[in-house]
Amino acid sequence: MTSHRERDVRNAIQELLDVTGAFDGVYLSGLPEHRGERAGDRRAAAIEPDATTESDLWDDVTGAMVMTASVVLTFLARDEDPQLRDEAAELLLNTAAAVLNGRSLAGATLPGSTRIRSWSWLKPTAPERRIAARLEFQYLVEGWSGLDLSE
């Protein structure tokens, strides 16, 4: 069993969202304005680590552990028209669900567990609307010490 890092999964998410063409920018570690950069995207997404839990169904240290992880996907749409920005934000969410749900990410995640599980509409701040979605996925780690230690 090949060991993968969750950052490999986040990078795969970024690549899949970027190739849709629906986003002006897809960012790891927050939107540009969170880093003091220009906030010029009309349609954007940010991918940020959220949480991970591990479980095993037995006491055998040689068996695989099931890792359940999640990332927060923040979708941002900017438009002066409130209805158009809400529609655009929803379209970004739906686009992400269409390309991520049920997929093995980075060749590591279990397809049946990869899906957007929930989302929240954040309070609009003209001229933007954001949706924060939680993407959950599972992957296997061989043994209790099988995490990838490479850089």
Short mmCIF file of all heavy atoms in Angstrom, two decimals, residues 77-141:
data_model
loop_
_atom_site.label_atom_id
_atom_site.label_comp_id
_atom_site.label_asym_id
_atom_site.label_seq_id
_atom_site.Cartn_x
_atom_site.Cartn_y
_atom_site.Cartn_z
N ALA A 77 -17.92 34.43 -4.76
CA ALA A 77 -18.41 35.05 -5.99
C ALA A 77 -18.62 36.53 -5.72
O ALA A 77 -19.19 36.91 -4.70
CB ALA A 77 -19.72 34.41 -6.42
N ARG A 78 -18.13 37.34 -6.66
CA ARG A 78 -18.29 38.79 -6.53
C ARG A 78 -19.11 39.31 -7.70
O ARG A 78 -18.84 39.00 -8.85
CB ARG A 78 -16.93 39.49 -6.53
CG ARG A 78 -16.14 39.25 -5.27
CD ARG A 78 -14.90 40.13 -5.21
NE ARG A 78 -14.22 39.98 -3.95
CZ ARG A 78 -13.08 39.31 -3.77
NH1 ARG A 78 -12.48 38.75 -4.81
NH2 ARG A 78 -12.53 39.22 -2.58
N ASP A 79 -20.12 40.12 -7.36
CA ASP A 79 -20.96 40.77 -8.37
C ASP A 79 -21.75 41.85 -7.64
O ASP A 79 -22.13 41.68 -6.48
CB ASP A 79 -21.91 39.75 -9.02
CG ASP A 79 -22.48 40.27 -10.33
OD1 ASP A 79 -23.23 41.28 -10.30
OD2 ASP A 79 -22.18 39.69 -11.38
N GLU A 80 -22.00 42.96 -8.32
CA GLU A 80 -22.78 44.04 -7.71
C GLU A 80 -24.24 43.62 -7.49
O GLU A 80 -24.86 44.08 -6.55
CB GLU A 80 -22.71 45.29 -8.58
CG GLU A 80 -21.33 45.93 -8.63
CD GLU A 80 -20.81 46.36 -7.27
OE1 GLU A 80 -21.59 46.82 -6.42
OE2 GLU A 80 -19.59 46.24 -7.06
N ASP A 81 -24.74 42.73 -8.33
CA ASP A 81 -26.12 42.26 -8.22
C ASP A 81 -26.18 41.10 -7.22
O ASP A 81 -25.58 40.05 -7.45
CB ASP A 81 -26.62 41.81 -9.60
CG ASP A 81 -28.07 41.39 -9.59
OD1 ASP A 81 -28.44 40.54 -8.74
OD2 ASP A 81 -28.83 41.88 -10.43
N PRO A 82 -26.92 41.26 -6.11
CA PRO A 82 -26.96 40.23 -5.08
C PRO A 82 -27.48 38.87 -5.58
O PRO A 82 -26.96 37.83 -5.18
CB PRO A 82 -27.91 40.79 -4.02
CG PRO A 82 -27.96 42.25 -4.27
CD PRO A 82 -27.69 42.45 -5.73
N GLN A 83 -28.46 38.90 -6.44
CA GLN A 83 -28.99 37.64 -6.96
C GLN A 83 -27.96 36.94 -7.84
O GLN A 83 -27.76 35.73 -7.73
CB GLN A 83 -30.28 37.87 -7.75
CG GLN A 83 -30.86 36.56 -8.27
CD GLN A 83 -32.17 36.75 -9.01
OE1 GLN A 83 -32.78 37.81 -8.95
NE2 GLN A 83 -32.61 35.72 -9.69
N LEU A 84 -27.28 37.70 -8.69
CA LEU A 84 -26.28 37.09 -9.57
C LEU A 84 -25.10 36.52 -8.79
O LEU A 84 -24.58 35.46 -9.12
CB LEU A 84 -25.79 38.11 -10.60
CG LEU A 84 -26.82 38.54 -11.65
CD1 LEU A 84 -26.22 39.59 -12.59
CD2 LEU A 84 -27.33 37.33 -12.43
N ARG A 85 -24.69 37.22 -7.72
CA ARG A 85 -23.56 36.69 -6.94
C ARG A 85 -23.96 35.43 -6.19
O ARG A 85 -23.18 34.50 -6.07
CB ARG A 85 -22.93 37.74 -6.04
CG ARG A 85 -23.70 38.11 -4.84
CD ARG A 85 -22.90 39.06 -3.94
NE ARG A 85 -23.79 39.67 -2.99
CZ ARG A 85 -24.05 40.95 -2.93
NH1 ARG A 85 -23.51 41.80 -3.75
NH2 ARG A 85 -24.88 41.40 -2.02
N ASP A 86 -25.22 35.37 -5.69
CA ASP A 86 -25.68 34.15 -5.02
C ASP A 86 -25.76 32.98 -6.00
O ASP A 86 -25.37 31.86 -5.69
CB ASP A 86 -27.03 34.37 -4.36
CG ASP A 86 -26.94 35.19 -3.08
OD1 ASP A 86 -25.82 35.56 -2.66
OD2 ASP A 86 -28.00 35.46 -2.49
N GLU A 87 -26.26 33.25 -7.19
CA GLU A 87 -26.34 32.21 -8.21
C GLU A 87 -24.95 31.73 -8.62
O GLU A 87 -24.72 30.55 -8.81
CB GLU A 87 -27.11 32.72 -9.43
CG GLU A 87 -28.59 32.92 -9.14
CD GLU A 87 -29.34 33.63 -10.27
OE1 GLU A 87 -28.71 33.99 -11.30
OE2 GLU A 87 -30.56 33.83 -10.11
N ALA A 88 -24.00 32.65 -8.71
CA ALA A 88 -22.63 32.29 -9.08
C ALA A 88 -21.97 31.46 -7.99
O ALA A 88 -21.28 30.48 -8.27
CB ALA A 88 -21.82 33.55 -9.37
N ALA A 89 -22.19 31.82 -6.73
CA ALA A 89 -21.61 31.07 -5.61
C ALA A 89 -22.17 29.64 -5.60
O ALA A 89 -21.42 28.67 -5.41
CB ALA A 89 -21.90 31.77 -4.29
N GLU A 90 -23.46 29.53 -5.82
CA GLU A 90 -24.08 28.20 -5.86
C GLU A 90 -23.54 27.37 -7.03
O GLU A 90 -23.29 26.17 -6.89
CB GLU A 90 -25.60 28.33 -5.96
CG GLU A 90 -26.32 26.99 -5.91
CD GLU A 90 -27.82 27.17 -5.96
OE1 GLU A 90 -28.31 27.98 -6.78
OE2 GLU A 90 -28.50 26.49 -5.18
N LEU A 91 -23.33 28.00 -8.16
CA LEU A 91 -22.77 27.30 -9.32
C LEU A 91 -21.35 26.81 -9.03
O LEU A 91 -20.98 25.70 -9.43
CB LEU A 91 -22.78 28.21 -10.55
CG LEU A 91 -22.23 27.60 -11.84
CD1 LEU A 91 -23.01 26.33 -12.23
CD2 LEU A 91 -22.27 28.62 -12.96
N LEU A 92 -20.56 27.60 -8.31
CA LEU A 92 -19.21 27.16 -7.94
C LEU A 92 -19.27 25.93 -7.03
O LEU A 92 -18.51 24.97 -7.21
CB LEU A 92 -18.44 28.29 -7.27
CG LEU A 92 -18.15 29.52 -8.12
CD1 LEU A 92 -17.46 30.60 -7.29
CD2 LEU A 92 -17.33 29.16 -9.35
N LEU A 93 -20.18 25.94 -6.06
CA LEU A 93 -20.38 24.79 -5.18
C LEU A 93 -20.76 23.56 -5.98
O LEU A 93 -20.19 22.48 -5.82
CB LEU A 93 -21.45 25.10 -4.13
CG LEU A 93 -21.95 23.92 -3.31
CD1 LEU A 93 -20.86 23.40 -2.37
CD2 LEU A 93 -23.20 24.31 -2.53
N ASN A 94 -21.73 23.71 -6.87
CA ASN A 94 -22.20 22.58 -7.68
C ASN A 94 -21.11 22.06 -8.62
O ASN A 94 -21.00 20.85 -8.85
CB ASN A 94 -23.45 22.97 -8.46
CG ASN A 94 -24.65 23.19 -7.56
OD1 ASN A 94 -24.65 22.81 -6.39
ND2 ASN A 94 -25.67 23.84 -8.08
N THR A 95 -20.31 22.96 -9.15
CA THR A 95 -19.20 22.56 -10.01
C THR A 95 -18.20 21.71 -9.23
O THR A 95 -17.75 20.67 -9.70
CB THR A 95 -18.50 23.80 -10.60
OG1 THR A 95 -19.44 24.53 -11.38
CG2 THR A 95 -17.31 23.42 -11.46
N ALA A 96 -17.88 22.16 -8.03
CA ALA A 96 -16.95 21.40 -7.19
C ALA A 96 -17.51 20.02 -6.85
O ALA A 96 -16.80 19.01 -6.93
CB ALA A 96 -16.63 22.17 -5.91
N ALA A 97 -18.78 19.96 -6.50
CA ALA A 97 -19.39 18.67 -6.17
C ALA A 97 -19.35 17.73 -7.37
O ALA A 97 -19.07 16.54 -7.24
CB ALA A 97 -20.83 18.88 -5.70
N ALA A 98 -19.58 18.28 -8.55
CA ALA A 98 -19.59 17.44 -9.76
C ALA A 98 -18.23 16.83 -10.06
O ALA A 98 -18.15 15.70 -10.55
CB ALA A 98 -20.07 18.28 -10.97
N VAL A 99 -17.14 17.53 -9.76
CA VAL A 99 -15.81 17.00 -10.09
C VAL A 99 -15.14 16.28 -8.93
O VAL A 99 -14.18 15.53 -9.15
CB VAL A 99 -14.86 18.09 -10.65
CG1 VAL A 99 -15.40 18.68 -11.93
CG2 VAL A 99 -14.55 19.16 -9.64
N LEU A 100 -15.62 16.47 -7.69
CA LEU A 100 -14.96 15.86 -6.54
C LEU A 100 -15.71 14.66 -5.96
O LEU A 100 -15.08 13.70 -5.52
CB LEU A 100 -14.75 16.90 -5.44
CG LEU A 100 -13.87 18.10 -5.81
CD1 LEU A 100 -13.89 19.14 -4.69
CD2 LEU A 100 -12.45 17.66 -6.12
N ASN A 101 -17.03 14.73 -5.92
CA ASN A 101 -17.80 13.66 -5.29
C ASN A 101 -17.56 12.32 -5.98
O ASN A 101 -17.58 12.23 -7.20
CB ASN A 101 -19.29 13.97 -5.30
CG ASN A 101 -19.68 15.05 -4.32
OD1 ASN A 101 -18.88 15.52 -3.53
ND2 ASN A 101 -20.93 15.46 -4.39
N GLY A 102 -17.30 11.29 -5.16
CA GLY A 102 -17.15 9.93 -5.68
C GLY A 102 -15.85 9.67 -6.42
O GLY A 102 -15.73 8.68 -7.12
N ARG A 103 -14.86 10.51 -6.23
CA ARG A 103 -13.60 10.39 -6.97
C ARG A 103 -12.48 9.99 -6.01
O ARG A 103 -12.46 10.40 -4.86
CB ARG A 103 -13.29 11.73 -7.62
CG ARG A 103 -11.95 11.78 -8.27
CD ARG A 103 -11.80 13.00 -9.10
NE ARG A 103 -11.65 12.51 -10.46
CZ ARG A 103 -12.04 13.13 -11.54
NH1 ARG A 103 -12.61 14.27 -11.47
NH2 ARG A 103 -11.84 12.60 -12.71
N SER A 104 -11.54 9.24 -6.52
CA SER A 104 -10.30 8.97 -5.77
C SER A 104 -9.36 10.14 -6.02
O SER A 104 -8.95 10.38 -7.15
CB SER A 104 -9.65 7.67 -6.22
OG SER A 104 -8.45 7.47 -5.51
N LEU A 105 -9.05 10.87 -4.98
CA LEU A 105 -8.19 12.05 -5.09
C LEU A 105 -6.74 11.67 -4.86
O LEU A 105 -6.42 10.99 -3.88
CB LEU A 105 -8.64 13.10 -4.07
CG LEU A 105 -10.10 13.55 -4.18
CD1 LEU A 105 -10.47 14.41 -2.99
CD2 LEU A 105 -10.33 14.27 -5.49
N ALA A 106 -5.87 12.08 -5.76
CA ALA A 106 -4.43 11.79 -5.70
C ALA A 106 -4.16 10.29 -5.69
O ALA A 106 -3.13 9.85 -5.21
CB ALA A 106 -3.78 12.47 -4.49
N GLY A 107 -5.11 9.50 -6.18
CA GLY A 107 -4.95 8.06 -6.16
C GLY A 107 -4.92 7.48 -4.77
O GLY A 107 -4.50 6.36 -4.56
N ALA A 108 -5.38 8.26 -3.78
CA ALA A 108 -5.26 7.85 -2.39
C ALA A 108 -6.59 7.66 -1.68
O ALA A 108 -6.71 6.80 -0.82
CB ALA A 108 -4.43 8.88 -1.62
N THR A 109 -7.59 8.46 -2.02
CA THR A 109 -8.83 8.41 -1.25
C THR A 109 -9.75 7.33 -1.77
O THR A 109 -9.70 6.93 -2.93
CB THR A 109 -9.55 9.77 -1.27
OG1 THR A 109 -9.98 10.07 -2.61
CG2 THR A 109 -8.64 10.89 -0.78
N LEU A 110 -10.61 6.86 -0.89
CA LEU A 110 -11.61 5.86 -1.24
C LEU A 110 -12.78 6.58 -1.92
O LEU A 110 -13.42 7.43 -1.29
CB LEU A 110 -12.08 5.12 0.01
CG LEU A 110 -10.97 4.46 0.84
CD1 LEU A 110 -11.51 3.92 2.15
CD2 LEU A 110 -10.27 3.38 0.03
N PRO A 111 -13.06 6.28 -3.19
CA PRO A 111 -14.06 7.04 -3.94
C PRO A 111 -15.43 7.11 -3.27
O PRO A 111 -16.07 8.16 -3.29
CB PRO A 111 -14.15 6.30 -5.28
CG PRO A 111 -12.88 5.55 -5.39
CD PRO A 111 -12.44 5.23 -4.00
N GLY A 112 -15.86 6.03 -2.65
CA GLY A 112 -17.19 6.02 -2.04
C GLY A 112 -17.34 6.93 -0.84
O GLY A 112 -18.45 7.22 -0.41
N SER A 113 -16.22 7.39 -0.30
CA SER A 113 -16.30 8.27 0.87
C SER A 113 -15.97 9.72 0.53
O SER A 113 -16.01 10.58 1.41
CB SER A 113 -15.32 7.78 1.95
OG SER A 113 -13.98 7.98 1.52
N THR A 114 -15.63 10.01 -0.70
CA THR A 114 -15.22 11.36 -1.08
C THR A 114 -16.44 12.14 -1.55
O THR A 114 -17.00 11.85 -2.60
CB THR A 114 -14.17 11.30 -2.21
OG1 THR A 114 -13.07 10.50 -1.77
CG2 THR A 114 -13.68 12.69 -2.57
N ARG A 115 -16.84 13.11 -0.73
CA ARG A 115 -18.00 13.92 -1.12
C ARG A 115 -18.10 15.18 -0.26
O ARG A 115 -17.62 15.22 0.85
CB ARG A 115 -19.29 13.14 -1.05
CG ARG A 115 -19.76 12.78 0.34
CD ARG A 115 -21.09 12.05 0.35
NE ARG A 115 -21.09 10.84 -0.43
CZ ARG A 115 -20.81 9.62 0.04
NH1 ARG A 115 -20.51 9.48 1.30
NH2 ARG A 115 -20.84 8.58 -0.75
N ILE A 116 -18.75 16.17 -0.83
CA ILE A 116 -19.08 17.37 -0.08
C ILE A 116 -20.25 17.00 0.83
O ILE A 116 -21.32 16.64 0.35
CB ILE A 116 -19.42 18.56 -1.00
CG1 ILE A 116 -18.16 18.97 -1.77
CG2 ILE A 116 -19.97 19.73 -0.19
CD1 ILE A 116 -18.35 20.09 -2.77
N ARG A 117 -20.01 17.05 2.13
CA ARG A 117 -21.00 16.59 3.11
C ARG A 117 -21.93 17.70 3.59
O ARG A 117 -23.06 17.43 3.97
CB ARG A 117 -20.29 16.00 4.33
CG ARG A 117 -19.53 14.76 4.07
CD ARG A 117 -20.46 13.59 4.09
NE ARG A 117 -19.70 12.36 3.97
CZ ARG A 117 -20.26 11.19 3.89
NH1 ARG A 117 -21.56 11.08 3.95
NH2 ARG A 117 -19.52 10.13 3.76
N SER A 118 -21.43 18.93 3.64
CA SER A 118 -22.27 20.02 4.14
C SER A 118 -21.71 21.34 3.63
O SER A 118 -20.56 21.41 3.19
CB SER A 118 -22.30 20.02 5.67
OG SER A 118 -21.00 20.24 6.19
N TRP A 119 -22.55 22.37 3.70
CA TRP A 119 -22.10 23.72 3.35
C TRP A 119 -22.97 24.74 4.05
O TRP A 119 -24.09 24.47 4.44
CB TRP A 119 -22.10 23.95 1.83
CG TRP A 119 -23.40 23.76 1.13
CD1 TRP A 119 -24.38 24.69 0.92
CD2 TRP A 119 -23.89 22.56 0.55
NE1 TRP A 119 -25.43 24.14 0.23
CE2 TRP A 119 -25.15 22.83 -0.01
CE3 TRP A 119 -23.37 21.26 0.45
CZ2 TRP A 119 -25.92 21.85 -0.66
CZ3 TRP A 119 -24.13 20.29 -0.20
CH2 TRP A 119 -25.39 20.61 -0.75
N SER A 120 -22.39 25.92 4.21
CA SER A 120 -23.09 27.04 4.85
C SER A 120 -22.92 28.27 3.99
O SER A 120 -21.82 28.56 3.51
CB SER A 120 -22.50 27.34 6.23
OG SER A 120 -22.65 26.25 7.09
N TRP A 121 -24.02 28.98 3.83
CA TRP A 121 -23.98 30.27 3.16
C TRP A 121 -23.52 31.29 4.18
O TRP A 121 -24.17 31.48 5.21
CB TRP A 121 -25.36 30.63 2.64
CG TRP A 121 -25.82 29.80 1.49
CD1 TRP A 121 -26.33 28.54 1.53
CD2 TRP A 121 -25.80 30.18 0.12
NE1 TRP A 121 -26.62 28.11 0.28
CE2 TRP A 121 -26.32 29.09 -0.62
CE3 TRP A 121 -25.40 31.32 -0.56
CZ2 TRP A 121 -26.45 29.12 -2.00
CZ3 TRP A 121 -25.54 31.36 -1.93
CH2 TRP A 121 -26.05 30.28 -2.65
N LEU A 122 -22.40 31.93 3.92
CA LEU A 122 -21.91 32.95 4.84
C LEU A 122 -22.62 34.27 4.55
O LEU A 122 -23.07 34.51 3.42
CB LEU A 122 -20.40 33.09 4.70
CG LEU A 122 -19.63 31.78 4.91
CD1 LEU A 122 -18.13 32.02 4.77
CD2 LEU A 122 -19.95 31.14 6.25
N LYS A 123 -22.71 35.10 5.57
CA LYS A 123 -23.42 36.38 5.41
C LYS A 123 -22.77 37.18 4.28
O LYS A 123 -21.55 37.35 4.25
CB LYS A 123 -23.36 37.16 6.72
CG LYS A 123 -24.16 38.42 6.69
CD LYS A 123 -24.18 39.10 8.02
CE LYS A 123 -24.99 40.38 7.89
NZ LYS A 123 -25.20 41.03 9.15
N PRO A 124 -23.57 37.69 3.35
CA PRO A 124 -22.99 38.45 2.24
C PRO A 124 -22.41 39.78 2.71
O PRO A 124 -22.94 40.41 3.62
CB PRO A 124 -24.17 38.68 1.29
CG PRO A 124 -25.38 38.59 2.15
CD PRO A 124 -25.04 37.63 3.27
N THR A 125 -21.32 40.14 2.08
CA THR A 125 -20.71 41.45 2.28
C THR A 125 -20.49 42.01 0.88
O THR A 125 -19.60 41.56 0.17
CB THR A 125 -19.37 41.33 3.02
OG1 THR A 125 -19.58 40.62 4.24
CG2 THR A 125 -18.79 42.69 3.32
N ALA A 126 -21.34 42.94 0.50
CA ALA A 126 -21.31 43.47 -0.87
C ALA A 126 -19.88 43.86 -1.25
O ALA A 126 -19.19 44.46 -0.43
CB ALA A 126 -22.25 44.65 -1.00
N PRO A 127 -19.43 43.49 -2.39
CA PRO A 127 -20.13 42.83 -3.50
C PRO A 127 -19.89 41.31 -3.56
O PRO A 127 -19.84 40.75 -4.63
CB PRO A 127 -19.50 43.49 -4.72
CG PRO A 127 -18.06 43.65 -4.32
CD PRO A 127 -18.10 43.96 -2.84
N GLU A 128 -19.73 40.64 -2.40
CA GLU A 128 -19.41 39.23 -2.49
C GLU A 128 -20.31 38.35 -1.63
O GLU A 128 -20.93 38.81 -0.67
CB GLU A 128 -17.94 38.97 -2.12
CG GLU A 128 -17.61 39.20 -0.68
CD GLU A 128 -16.14 38.96 -0.38
OE1 GLU A 128 -15.28 39.36 -1.19
OE2 GLU A 128 -15.85 38.37 0.66
N ARG A 129 -20.33 37.08 -2.03
CA ARG A 129 -21.01 36.03 -1.27
C ARG A 129 -20.05 34.86 -1.18
O ARG A 129 -19.36 34.54 -2.14
CB ARG A 129 -22.29 35.60 -1.97
CG ARG A 129 -22.91 34.35 -1.40
CD ARG A 129 -23.48 34.58 0.00
NE ARG A 129 -24.86 34.94 -0.13
CZ ARG A 129 -25.71 34.94 0.89
NH1 ARG A 129 -25.32 34.62 2.09
NH2 ARG A 129 -26.95 35.29 0.70
N ARG A 130 -20.00 34.25 -0.03
CA ARG A 130 -19.15 33.07 0.17
C ARG A 130 -19.99 31.91 0.66
O ARG A 130 -20.96 32.08 1.40
CB ARG A 130 -18.06 33.35 1.20
CG ARG A 130 -17.08 34.41 0.74
CD ARG A 130 -16.01 34.65 1.77
NE ARG A 130 -15.17 35.78 1.34
CZ ARG A 130 -14.00 36.04 1.84
NH1 ARG A 130 -13.49 35.28 2.79
NH2 ARG A 130 -13.29 37.07 1.40
N ILE A 131 -19.58 30.74 0.24
CA ILE A 131 -20.14 29.49 0.75
C ILE A 131 -18.96 28.68 1.30
O ILE A 131 -17.95 28.51 0.61
CB ILE A 131 -20.85 28.68 -0.35
CG1 ILE A 131 -22.05 29.45 -0.90
CG2 ILE A 131 -21.28 27.31 0.17
CD1 ILE A 131 -22.74 28.78 -2.08
N ALA A 132 -19.08 28.21 2.53
CA ALA A 132 -18.07 27.34 3.13
C ALA A 132 -18.60 25.92 3.11
O ALA A 132 -19.65 25.64 3.69
CB ALA A 132 -17.76 27.79 4.55
N ALA A 133 -17.90 25.04 2.41
CA ALA A 133 -18.33 23.65 2.27
C ALA A 133 -17.29 22.73 2.90
O ALA A 133 -16.09 23.02 2.91
CB ALA A 133 -18.50 23.31 0.80
N ARG A 134 -17.77 21.61 3.42
CA ARG A 134 -16.89 20.62 4.03
C ARG A 134 -16.83 19.39 3.12
O ARG A 134 -17.82 18.71 2.91
CB ARG A 134 -17.43 20.23 5.39
CG ARG A 134 -16.52 19.33 6.19
CD ARG A 134 -17.07 19.20 7.62
NE ARG A 134 -16.28 18.26 8.36
CZ ARG A 134 -16.60 16.99 8.50
NH1 ARG A 134 -17.69 16.50 7.98
NH2 ARG A 134 -15.81 16.18 9.19
N LEU A 135 -15.63 19.15 2.56
CA LEU A 135 -15.38 17.97 1.75
C LEU A 135 -14.73 16.92 2.64
O LEU A 135 -13.71 17.19 3.27
CB LEU A 135 -14.45 18.29 0.58
CG LEU A 135 -14.02 17.10 -0.28
CD1 LEU A 135 -15.16 16.63 -1.17
CD2 LEU A 135 -12.80 17.44 -1.10
N GLU A 136 -15.34 15.74 2.70
CA GLU A 136 -14.81 14.66 3.52
C GLU A 136 -14.29 13.55 2.62
O GLU A 136 -14.85 13.29 1.55
CB GLU A 136 -15.91 14.12 4.43
CG GLU A 136 -15.45 13.11 5.44
CD GLU A 136 -16.56 12.70 6.38
OE1 GLU A 136 -16.85 13.49 7.32
OE2 GLU A 136 -17.16 11.63 6.17
N PHE A 137 -13.22 12.88 3.06
CA PHE A 137 -12.67 11.76 2.32
C PHE A 137 -11.99 10.80 3.28
O PHE A 137 -11.67 11.16 4.42
CB PHE A 137 -11.68 12.24 1.24
CG PHE A 137 -10.57 13.12 1.76
CD1 PHE A 137 -9.36 12.58 2.18
CD2 PHE A 137 -10.74 14.49 1.81
CE1 PHE A 137 -8.34 13.39 2.65
CE2 PHE A 137 -9.72 15.32 2.29
CZ PHE A 137 -8.52 14.76 2.71
N GLN A 138 -11.79 9.57 2.83
CA GLN A 138 -11.10 8.56 3.62
C GLN A 138 -9.95 7.98 2.81
O GLN A 138 -10.02 7.90 1.58
CB GLN A 138 -12.04 7.43 4.03
CG GLN A 138 -13.09 7.85 5.03
CD GLN A 138 -13.98 6.68 5.43
OE1 GLN A 138 -14.36 5.87 4.60
NE2 GLN A 138 -14.31 6.61 6.71
N TYR A 139 -8.91 7.56 3.54
CA TYR A 139 -7.80 6.86 2.92
C TYR A 139 -7.25 5.87 3.94
O TYR A 139 -7.56 5.95 5.13
CB TYR A 139 -6.72 7.82 2.41
CG TYR A 139 -6.08 8.69 3.47
CD1 TYR A 139 -4.85 8.35 4.02
CD2 TYR A 139 -6.70 9.87 3.89
CE1 TYR A 139 -4.25 9.15 4.98
CE2 TYR A 139 -6.10 10.67 4.84
CZ TYR A 139 -4.89 10.31 5.39
OH TYR A 139 -4.30 11.10 6.34
N LEU A 140 -6.48 4.92 3.46
CA LEU A 140 -5.94 3.88 4.32
C LEU A 140 -4.46 4.12 4.56
O LEU A 140 -3.73 4.55 3.67
CB LEU A 140 -6.12 2.51 3.68
CG LEU A 140 -7.57 2.10 3.35
CD1 LEU A 140 -7.57 0.76 2.63
CD2 LEU A 140 -8.42 2.04 4.61
N VAL A 141 -4.02 3.84 5.77
CA VAL A 141 -2.61 3.89 6.13
C VAL A 141 -2.25 2.49 6.64
O VAL A 141 -2.90 1.99 7.56
CB VAL A 141 -2.33 4.96 7.21
CG1 VAL A 141 -0.89 4.86 7.70
CG2 VAL A 141 -2.62 6.34 6.67
#
